[in-house]
Amino acid sequence: MGPGEEATPADEADAFRLGALLAADGWVVLSGGRDAGVMRAVSQGAKTVPGSLTVGVLPSAGAPVAAGVDVAIVTEMHNARNNVNVQSSHVVLAFAGGGPGTASEIALALKAGKPVILLGGDELARAFFRRLGGDRVVIAGSPEEAAAAARAFRPAP
Amino acid sequence: MGPGEEATPADEADAFRLGALLAADGWVVLSGGRDAGVMRAVSQGAKTVPGSLTVGVLPSAGAPVAAGVDVAIVTEMHNARNNVNVQSSHVVLAFAGGGPGTASEIALALKAGKPVILLGGDELARAFFRRLGGDRVVIAGSPEEAAAAARAFRPAP
Amino acid sequence: MGPGEEATPADEADAFRLGALLAADGWVVLSGGRDAGVMRAVSQGAKTVPGSLTVGVLPSAGAPVAAGVDVAIVTEMHNARNNVNVQSSHVVLAFAGGGPGTASEIALALKAGKPVILLGGDELARAFFRRLGGDRVVIAGSPEEAAAAARAFRPAP
Amino acid sequence: MGPGEEATPADEADAFRLGALLAADGWVVLSGGRDAGVMRAVSQGAKTVPGSLTVGVLPSAGAPVAAGVDVAIVTEMHNARNNVNVQSSHVVLAFAGGGPGTASEIALALKAGKPVILLGGDELARAFFRRLGGDRVVIAGSPEEAAAAARAFRPAP
């Protein structure tokens, strides 16, 4: 989870690498599915891995789907779809420095009892979310650390 | 789309065969995802085909997922998830003799402008939905006819 | 519940009268809230009664609210809001001859175990919904009959 | 918007007073509607004002409604209903020290472009939300200050 149109090139590069790492570990990579920012980059990164599977949970029927999304779920519920994203995930990886949409996903994930791995952001954002979620919030310094942290939450096969 | 706990053995047999036929044609097979009736049967039928992909759009976080569902989307929006099911589909195949849940999906599919292929049901149900949807409603006499009818709505690759 | 832009003048006249009758009986009158057809007419009819209260459950943030709606609830979930409409109602009054949107509301109401009072429509529609809902579906020949039937479902004060 | 079962007596006293102040200013007071914490207190405070109107937007069909709620909207969409709450509001008043549910509402309100007035919380929470929302976030030191701040966002009659 992370910024769309507001993503920086560094965010997108991180997301792309994260997508590839998660897919290589065998995760299904689910994102908000729109053709923008972190959603597009993580899907395209995942698709560099043969046999990968990506899901995009879209806000509306008209939203263009990111290239790299294998399965598009059209919710037609706009930002309320953020709750579908987190409910459908075993672990939520989020850009701590994202805007209100990303912040709502982190909060909804914690409300749903999901583990959250935070990437990026500054001390203020990390401190806020750490207090909000306690032990369920993990800070990762890089896509590699985030992917490594995610392994702890892998469901048994 | 079709009955869950109320499905007859004949409904389930039809759904199982339909799932296999659709998967053999390369469709992603999306259902309501619960471990019951037509949702389970169509997913399991699809999974008899190597390389198939099945999606289950679940009503709630606690609902058991049908065996045979590859990707589980947890909506936590109960019957309102029926709109997600139809919005996410290129073509909706539904049991015309199903209960209110299935009827709502057929109606929402028509509202969304999706083609609907009806399987089973009696003259009353078929006549009602035909009038509601006009040309977008196709009547199929068997899973084989339904799968054949679906091919006309296949998006270009 | 009933047609929006597709409503006939007779539908709107019936909805207006029904709104006034329901409000006079002390019901809160809830509709889909858009500035069209039966939604607008039932709200405006209700507002002819001093002390009446009307609620509109809107599909999206941008949809114009009908004059006559006191409380606007903005769902941003498009046709999935039909489930909110019926879940929030003690009894659902619907135009049996409405289009797919109305049909989905009737079906979702029956799925939710709510009583449904049908107004208008022809033999085919009434027969279909009667079979779908059994005893919970009541046929009314006029707004007066519909309002009278609704009284049976009034919650105790 | 604020904590349910986790609300402190001080939170509830503030919410009760805020409800009374808002109702006295003629606002419709909308909350999450459950019979707990801030949702209950704000509704009951509002109902001390003759002619007040309160709305509760409930997460599920089974959730007990708070005494003091005049109009109950049953969304059946659990925490995704938080988006309905903020979309339906002209201005969002929230307890900055609330848990993940409240944080998600603040974030969704900012995403929806709504003004947010924060009550309570500590420096960390206030700093985080201020940065997330910029000028649209107003800090209030008491229910009286919050109600006064809300007046600036009153729609023209």
Side-chain angles (χ1 to χ4, degrees), chain A:
Chain A
M1 312 296 157
E5 284 73 7
E6 308 78 23
T8 65
D11 291 338
E12 297 193 11
D14 279 353
F16 187 92
R17 214 155 82 232
L18 184 58
L21 289 161
L22 293 171
D25 277 353
W27 290 100
V28 175
V29 176
L30 180 151
S31 76
R34 290 198 302 111
D35 188 28
V38 156
M39 296 173 265
R40 178 173 53 204
V42 77
S43 303
Q44 293 183 338
K47 292 314 293 177
T48 62
V49 177
S52 63
L53 181 58
T54 58
V55 177
V57 179
L58 291 152
S60 64
V65 185
V69 168
D70 294 321
V71 175
I73 302 295
V74 179
T75 64
E76 261 213 325
M77 59 196 292
H78 295 258
N79 289 312
R81 72 91 149 73
N82 295 357
N83 196 51
V84 178
N85 294 2
V86 301
Q87 288 284 348
S88 303
S89 298
H90 285 97
V91 52
V92 173
L93 297 102
F95 281 71
T102 305
S104 77
E105 283 171 316
I106 297 171
L108 288 166
L110 294 173
K111 178 81 178 170
K114 304 282 179 173
V116 172
I117 300 171
L118 294 181
L119 201 60
D122 62 6
E123 191 42 47
L124 174 59
R126 288 192 296 255
F128 175 77
F129 289 123
R130 275 302 290 258
R131 196 181 58 189
L132 198 65
D135 283 352
R136 270 178 298 117
V137 173
V138 179
I139 308 291
S142 66
E144 286 70 21
E145 276 186 39
R151 277 177 215 132
F153 304 107
R154 194 66 185 276

Side-chain angles (χ1 to χ4, degrees), chain C residues 83-111:
Chain C
N83 196 49
V84 179
N85 294 1
V86 301
Q87 288 284 346
S88 301
S89 299
H90 285 98
V91 51
V92 174
L93 297 103
F95 281 72
T102 305
S104 78
E105 284 171 316
I106 297 172
L108 287 166
L110 294 173
K111 179 80 179 172

Side-chain angles (χ1 to χ4, degrees), chain B residues 5 16 22-23 26 42 48 56 58 83 109 112 114 119 126 133-134 137 153:
Chain B
E5 284 75 7
F16 187 92
L22 293 171
V42 78
T48 61
L58 292 151
N83 196 50
K114 303 283 181 173
L119 201 60
R126 288 192 297 256
V137 173
F153 304 107

